[in-house]
Amino acid sequence: MQNKRRRVVVTGMGAMTPIGNDLQSYWDGLSNGRSGAAPITRFDATDYDTKFACEVKNFNVLDFIDRKLSNRMDLFTQFGVAATDMAVKDAGWNLESLDRTRIGVVYGSGIGGMWTYQKQQETLYETGGPHRISPFFVPMLISDICAGYISMRFGLKGPNYATTSACATSNNAIIDAVMLIERGTADAIVAGGAEAVICPMGVGGFNAMKALSTRNDDPTKASRPFDIKRDGFVMGEGGATLILEELEHAMNRGARIYAELSGFGLSADAYHITQPAPGGEGAVRSMKMAVESSGLRPEQVDYVNVHGTSTPLGDISESNAIKDVFGDHARKVAISSTKSMTGHLLGAAGAIEAIASVLALHHQTAPPTINYEFPDPACDLDYVPNVARPMHIGAAMSNGFGFGGHNATLLFTRYQE
């Protein structure tokens, strides 16, 4: 183990999202303010309060995984493996030349194989009882299986596990990856998250909580963070993967470096199972920790990709937390919720938004918050309304908050030698 803190950089990314099935198309969707919301096609949602979601479109699993193996994977695992295939290629890894005992996988899912549970439950009750349950039911269901498949696919023999902390899940995966690399336990980690819960139980469950938007007449306008007419989040799905490497490891192989992961913060609200703590107190501590651990001053943060779910309480709480953390600078920092376009990917949200933050740094452009039409007096910051903004971005923060009071914040900076 090494005592000196090792620097961690992002060298590859892959994305399977509701607005693009690869990194370039994802950025194109973000920078052009494209909504991924549309009527649900994965099941008949006629009787549901919410009849739309942000589904991944035109996903052909056979582009990534052979038929036999893909039939033994839940959709969330398929998304995660596909995103990781793209990330490994983007990083330019020659796996035969790398010490794969020093490369690990930390890959999360908030819920895991909910489609598998849905289908096997139907099998149990509708077509013949317990002896008709698939022997692959449990391996397809468990939330750690995506990390396992990624490890086996690429022969990665370092630390291997999943994180689960609701909508902070993949932020936690990325933070764990950073700590493993900083500590010297690994030289590189495949980190991210995947989710696929646009199914009858998933949509029905969140409808029962009154958490989802019911703007069925105009789905593309439904996810509207910080707008006073917001009425809940829009469910999304997909997978997102970041390749994180120790700086010297990356430089020794001549890697392209997208950004440095310079700081992170973790906290718990210890308050309520679904509501944020008053004043966003837990989020404040998470963000402050991220800034302090990076060695930056608050005024050096140029962009914040917020959790911004388009819920009445959450958006106000996060806005107040940003004011607390940044003081006068809060009104100068560019803020956007890319959930206005992708919907809420739950356990994959942190990873897909981390990629958005890294791409914002890379392209020097803040993605917009679309559908911002009617300002909420309680949300009075600069949310980059409706149109992407070219600007200087030296440091970008990304927030992830989850049911149970989990808070996890990432801080990326432009790489400097």
Side-chain angles (χ1 to χ4, degrees), residues 235-283:
M235 191 177 291
E237 64 179 7
T241 302
L242 295 88
I243 304 297
L244 302 176
E245 296 188 54
E246 187 271 328
L247 176 59
E248 187 174 341
H249 184 271
M251 293 182 69
N252 284 344
R253 65 179 192 87
R256 171 199 49 209
I257 296 174
Y258 280 108
E260 182 169 357
L261 211 169
S262 299
F264 61 82
L266 296 161
S267 72
D269 285 355
Y271 174 70
H272 191 274
I273 58 171
T274 58
Q275 295 179 13
E281 181 270 339

Side-chain angles (χ1 to χ4, degrees), residues 212-330:
L212 297 180
S213 171
T214 56
R215 192 183 285 257
N216 294 301
D217 57 333
D218 193 1
T220 63
K221 296 285 189 181
S223 186
R224 45 197 314 115
F226 309 107
D227 185 285
I228 200 167
K229 294 191 176 184
R230 65 192 183 276
D231 70 327
F233 76 83
V234 177
M235 191 177 291
E237 64 179 7
T241 302
L242 295 88
I243 304 297
L244 302 176
E245 296 188 54
E246 187 271 328
L247 176 59
E248 187 174 341
H249 184 271
M251 293 182 69
N252 284 344
R253 65 179 192 87
R256 171 199 49 209
I257 296 174
Y258 280 108
E260 182 169 357
L261 211 169
S262 299
F264 61 82
L266 296 161
S267 72
D269 285 355
Y271 174 70
H272 191 274
I273 58 171
T274 58
Q275 295 179 13
E281 181 270 339
V284 168
R285 286 185 289 109
S286 181
M287 285 189 278
K288 283 185 175 180
M289 185 185 299
V291 174
E292 290 168 3
S293 67
S294 73
L296 298 177
R297 301 183 305 277
E299 59 269 23
Q300 290 177 285
V301 177
D302 305 295
Y303 170 70
V304 180
N305 189 297
V306 289
H307 190 59
T309 55
S310 188
T311 53
L313 285 178
D315 291 0
I316 294 173
S317 176
E318 190 168 11
S319 294
N320 288 337
I322 289 169
K323 293 174 189 176
D324 191 325
V325 171
F326 292 104
D328 292 341
H329 184 61

Side-chain angles (χ1 to χ4, degrees), residues 379-408:
C379 300
D380 56 353
L381 300 175
D382 176 6
Y383 303 110
V384 192
N386 303 312
V387 178
R389 181 184 302 164
M391 58 176 286
H392 167 76
I393 303 176
M397 176 180 284
S398 187
N399 282 331
F401 310 136
F403 285 174
H406 314 293
N407 307 301

